[in-house]
């Protein structure tokens, strides 16, 4: 199969769909797009329309997908809160809503609070569907942009040592990153979370079967030297039924400038999918190693441009 055929017309629902070749293709395409003049990019998707339906709030994923389509010369049909602005409010099913969007759009990007909904939507839709986050399940395009950011810096995505901190139980970006790094050899992730927010036993068992080493640690003291990246995450308030429990756990691990100076390597990337809600001090923002407000966020647009071009671009 030719490289260009790996993605054309396909859905992106989970990192389970990816192998070494397909991840490398996304990274190579994003790197190429990043260097391509703006005017030339506009010729990639003229006449294409992508539907964006976000049943959960979003700053980055929504905006970067919208910008990505437009920067490639395409257009969007956008629903930022379909639960109050679409006919879902009248009781329309997700299946019928999907079939309607498919009549108007060449692809659908959807975020939904319920795990598995995107898989169901992809089965119903006759156009490509991209998972923009399904509850506590996965966020595949975020993981791809995060790992592209690591790849761009270190020029490899194997033999990586990373630290992930925060809500590992509910963090969908974390679940996709573990799967992404599992595709490549000799990767190790150090995991630090409140014990209530450890990876689920199911996720830990699954990871054991994959090519990745997960090491759970209990404190900042155990953070190893010279990680390629630190990946902080927010405790996901919206997944808690007990708000007191959330308050108890939300700021257990705060990233401070002092910690960065003491424990991060000179090349360690300081990352966060955002939004942050207090777990990363703003004093860290100006550290040259901190990329969450800059390169990491911007790469979200480039990686999504890469995916749209691979999935939708007409190839003669
Ligand atoms: N990283 C991320 O998914 O951010 P948003 O929720 O703002 O899209």
């Amino acid at each position: 199969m030719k490289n260009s055929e790996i993605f054309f017309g396909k859905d992106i629902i989970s990192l389970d769909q990816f192998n070494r070749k397909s991840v490398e293709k996304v990274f190579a395409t994003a790197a190429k797009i990043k260097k391509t003049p703006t005017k030339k990019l506009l010729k990639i998707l003229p006449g294409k329309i992508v539907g964006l339906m976000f049943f959960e709030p979003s700053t980055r994923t929504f905006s970067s997908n919208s910008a990505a389509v437009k920067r490639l010369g395409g257009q969007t049909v956008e629903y930022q809160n379909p639960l109050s602005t679409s006919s879902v409010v009248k009781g329309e099913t997700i299946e019928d809503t999907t079939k309607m969007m498919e009549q108007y759009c060449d692809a659908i990007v959807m975020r939904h609070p319920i795990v598995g909904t995107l898989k169901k939507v992809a089965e119903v839709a006759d156009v490509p569907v991209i998972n923009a986050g399904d509850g506590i399940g996965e966020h595949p395009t975020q993981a791809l942009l995060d790992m592209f950011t690591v790849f761009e810096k270190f020029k490899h995505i194997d033999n990586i040592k990373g630290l992930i901190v925060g809500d590992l139980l509910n963090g969908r970006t974390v679940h996709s990153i573990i799967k992404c790094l599992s595709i490549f050899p000799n990767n190790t992730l150090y995991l630090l979370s409140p014990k209530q927010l450890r990876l689920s036993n199911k996720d830990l068992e699954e990871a054991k079967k994959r090519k990745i080493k997960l090491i759970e640690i209990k404190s900042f003291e155990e953070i190893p030297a010279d990680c390629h990246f630190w990946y902080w995450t927010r405790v996901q308030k919206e997944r808690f039924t007990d708000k007191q429990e959330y308050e108890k756990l939300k700021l257990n691990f705060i990233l401070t400038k002092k910690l960065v100076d003491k424990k991060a390597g000179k090349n360690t990337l300081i990352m966060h999918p955002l939004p942050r809600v207090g777990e990363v001090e703003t004093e860290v923002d100006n550290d040259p190693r901190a990329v969450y407000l800059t390169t990491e966020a911007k790469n979200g647009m480039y990686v999504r441009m890469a995916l749209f071009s691979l999935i939708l671009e007409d190839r003669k």
Side-chain angles (χ1 to χ4, degrees), residues 191-234:
L191 305 176
L192 176 60
S193 66
K195 68 175 186 312
Q196 297 89 330
L197 301 177
R198 289 173 63 214
L199 272 188
S200 68
N201 288 337
K202 181 174 164 280
D203 284 341
L204 281 167
E205 284 306 314
E206 261 186 32
K208 271 189 206 157
K209 294 181 206 147
R210 297 169 188 266
K211 279 190 288 183
I212 188 158
K213 196 168 171 190
L214 299 183
I215 300 174
E216 292 185 280
I217 59 174
K218 291 192 169 64
S219 69
F220 290 151
E221 278 65 46
E222 293 176 73
I223 297 174
D226 295 331
C227 281
H228 293 87
F229 69 86
W230 287 6
Y231 191 86
W232 237 258
T233 65
R234 138 188 100 91

Side-chain angles (χ1 to χ4, degrees), residues 57-61 111 139 142 273-275:
S58 167
T59 301
R60 280 145 293 276
T61 314
R111 171 172 286 187
H139 194 345
Q142 178 74 41
L274 302 179

Side-chain angles (χ1 to χ4, degrees), residues 35-153:
K35 285 188 285 190
T36 304
T38 308
K39 258 178 140 172
K40 214 171 159 193
L41 289 172
L42 289 170
K43 295 185 182 147
I44 294 179
L45 293 187
K48 299 286 185 194
I49 297 180
V50 175
L52 307 180
M53 293 204 91
F54 279 56
F55 290 84
E56 281 189 335
S58 167
T59 301
R60 280 145 293 276
T61 314
F62 186 87
S63 310
S64 61
N65 270 294
S66 179
V69 174
K70 287 160 187 157
R71 283 183 183 270
L72 295 173
Q75 296 181 70
T76 55
V77 170
E78 303 188 349
Y79 277 101
Q80 264 271 31
N81 189 1
L83 282 174
S84 63
T85 58
S86 77
S87 282
V88 172
V89 79
K90 301 174 209 160
E92 186 169 67
T93 63
I94 193 80
E95 288 87 351
D96 285 359
T97 305
T98 301
K99 289 309 285 179
M100 291 307 99
M101 288 298 273
E102 171 194 308
Q103 308 310 309
Y104 317 129
C105 302
D106 299 290
I108 298 169
V109 180
M110 190 182 287
R111 171 172 286 187
H112 200 278
I114 299 172
V115 178
T117 302
L118 266 294
K119 188 168 176 282
K120 189 166 81 180
V121 165
E123 281 160 10
V124 169
D126 287 330
V127 296
V129 171
I130 299 179
N131 180 0
D134 64 330
I136 66 164
E138 281 205 51
H139 194 345
T141 61
Q142 178 74 41
L144 288 168
L145 78 88
D146 290 329
M147 293 306 102
F148 173 66
T149 305
V150 173
F151 178 77
E152 197 178 38
K153 165 90 176 169

